[in-house]
């Protein structure tokens, strides 16, 4: 797969591989124009698998962010988009879905270069992203209000208005997927927006805004600023012209955003990840459970908000399940995302690698035993990247920090329980209730446990599937609000009551006195 000029054994320049795509333009998008950051600053964007420079992205500052908000505000207040018919909005969303499907491979390549995930995973992401645009096109076409029962002589209507200007702040693990969960419903609702991708992974977000412009979105509806969270993200969050901040990222940043937004009583929608238990009861199909347990935690090197990083196994099933897991974990092939046969890529950055390694060390300090992995691969091809071997630790204590905090890396911890009540208690030791799994052959027992678990999604005999039609979001500290589904559209809408008196008469209270 390497180019002729790449010395044997050295990591390839990923931008020169056969099939590698052209990069999007490194530009801010403000009011329909593409331009550099006003101060001229840039930031390197790096491939996490090799350390190669991919792009010098514009490094916007707070003034750029405010200019983008002004553009989105003007497009909302005076532009055509909020008043465009739902049929026309739906047609635009469908054109975007067509373009994503047309450019699926190029988009997938960009995502793989930027995030390190395998091309197969990136292609799946792109297919699902196209489906998200199609789903919200359908939602736009079928939007309904309500007629409320008031006395005759009047009409009372509940209608849905776009919420207004949205600041969208997205993370690095699923850059385009997370952005699409916000862009598609926001456009269906008639909103305008300023999008700020993670400074680590702006490539596919830059491309999608180009594609929205090509699809005919009016100027100023979709604005994009690249740059640091602490400056650009904060400037968006504190701007009173923003009506909603929709954020996906970590809990620490989520708290800060909620606090800042509260000053202007700006609405927030927060998806802050989770500590997601995967519970295997003793009557489960252990081959199925092992299969999904691996997928739950090693998919995209565990950098998934719903990663099933915490395996809770009934003590009677522990040894048999662990044997299957360890044997298969040892065979997981690390590699570059664009290479055939790669099953797991790097983590996103040196800082993140250090954080994940810190949790591996902490788990052992808390009393867990390292069973496989835990180190960096020794193959010199991976020296420029941020790879970590798939890791399994057993005997994790239920009450430590590792049992309740998100690791966000290829690290599986295993705990045991004795009965369903204990499984429930251990699974509930976190307030980050995004997703959980239950494996059992007893449908009623699995359903009973699933309903008790305070998590936004509970999968039974599966892990990870999600659909644009079904809501996504968490309980407790995992966030506020829902994405996808009807609920995901409602985040971008205000509910308005329209009351029309058909038989106008004077009000009684302050009318002429006798
Ligand atoms: O995320 P941040 P980080 C978790 C995961 C990870 C941890 C920290 O556990 O280890 O979060 O990751 C922008 N105002 N998740 O530090 O900071 C930032 O520029 C406004 C779970 O990389 O949350 C980026 O665009 N914005 C998660 C976005 O916030 C700010 C996915 C996310 O970055 C800001 C990723 C500020 N003050 C990490 N500071 C999930 N829910 O899936 C930063 N940002």
């Amino acid at each position: 797969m390497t180019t002729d000029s790449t010395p044997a054994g050295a990591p390839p320049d990923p931008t020169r591989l056969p099939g590698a795509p052209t990069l999007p333009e490194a530009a801010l998008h403000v009011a329909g124009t593409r331009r550099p950051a006003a101060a001229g600053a840039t930031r390197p964007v790096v491939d996490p698998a090799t350390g190669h420079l991919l792009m010098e992205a514009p490094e916007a500052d707070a003034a750029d962010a405010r200019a983008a908000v002004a553009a989105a505000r003007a497009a909302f207040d005076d532009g055509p988009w909020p008043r465009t018919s739902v049929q026309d909005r739906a047609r635009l969303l469908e054109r975007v879905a067509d373009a994503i499907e047309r450019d699926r491979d190029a988009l997938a390549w960009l995502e793989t270069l930027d995030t390190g995930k395998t091309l197969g995973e990136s292609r799946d992401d792109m297919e699902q992203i196209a489906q998200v645009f199609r789903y919200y096109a359908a939602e736009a076409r079928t939007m309904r209000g309500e007629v409320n029962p008031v006395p005759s002589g009047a009409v009372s209507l509940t209608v849905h208005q776009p919420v207004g200007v949205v600041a969208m702040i997205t993370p690095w693990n699923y850059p385009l997927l997370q952005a699409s969960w916000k862009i598609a419903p926001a456009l269906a609702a008639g909103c305008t927006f300023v999008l700020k991708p993670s400074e680590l992974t702006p490539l596919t977000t830059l491309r999608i805004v180009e594609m929205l412009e090509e699809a005919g979105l009016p100027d100023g509806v979709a604005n994009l600023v690249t740059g640091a969270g602490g400056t650009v993200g904060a400037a968006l969050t504190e701007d009173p012209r923003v009506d909603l901040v929709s954020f996906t990222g970590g809990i620490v940043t989520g708290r800060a955003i909620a606090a800042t937004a509260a000053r202007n009583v700006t609405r927030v929608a927060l998806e802050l990840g989770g500590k997601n238990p995967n519970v295997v009861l003793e009557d489960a199909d252990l081959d199925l459970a092992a299969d999904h347990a691996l997928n739950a935690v090693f998919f995209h090197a565990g950098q998934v908000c719903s990663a099933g990083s915490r395996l809770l196994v009934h003590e009677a099933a522990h040894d048999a399940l662990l044997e299957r897991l360890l044997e298969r974990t040892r065979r997981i092939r690390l590699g570059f995302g664009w290479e055939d046969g790669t099953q797991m890529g790097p983590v996103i950055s040196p800082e993140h690698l250090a954080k994940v390694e810190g949790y591996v060390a902490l788990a052992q300090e808390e009393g867990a035993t390292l069973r496989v992995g835990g180190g960096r691969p020794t193959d010199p091809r991976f020296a420029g990247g941020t790879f970590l071997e798939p890791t399994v630790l057993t005997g994790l204590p239920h009450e430590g920090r590792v049992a309740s905090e998100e690791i966000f890396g290829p690290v599986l911890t295993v705990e045991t329980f004795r009965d369903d009540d204990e499984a429930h208690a251990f699974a509930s030791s976190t307030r980050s209730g995004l997703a959980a799994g239950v494996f059992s052959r007893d449908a009623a027992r699995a359903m009973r446990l699933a309903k008790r678990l305070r998590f936004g999604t509970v999968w039974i005999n599966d892990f990870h599937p999600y659909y644009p039609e079904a809501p996504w979001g968490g309980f407790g500290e995992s966030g506020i609000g829902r994405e996808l589904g009807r609920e995901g559209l409602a985040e971008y809408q205000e509910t308005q009551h329209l009351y029309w008196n058909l038989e106008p008469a004077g009000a009684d209270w302050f009318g002429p006195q006798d």
Side-chain angles (χ1 to χ4, degrees), residues 169-173 178 196-199 227-230 233-234 237 247-251 253 256-257 271-273 304-305 352 355 406-408:
I169 301 175
T170 51
W172 42 261
N173 56 337
Q178 301 292 0
K196 193 208 88 64
S198 165
E199 50 274 50
T237 309
F247 170 75
T248 304
I251 176 93
T253 306
I257 286 176
E271 205 275 57
L272 307 179
V304 184
C305 48
H352 192 60
K355 173 183 159 175
E406 186 175 50
I407 300 176
F408 225 62

Side-chain angles (χ1 to χ4, degrees), residues 493-508:
Q493 293 176 317
E494 282 283 10
T495 302
Q496 186 176 46
H497 176 209
L498 294 177
Y499 181 86
W500 186 4
N501 186 349
L502 302 173
E503 296 170 352
D508 290 342

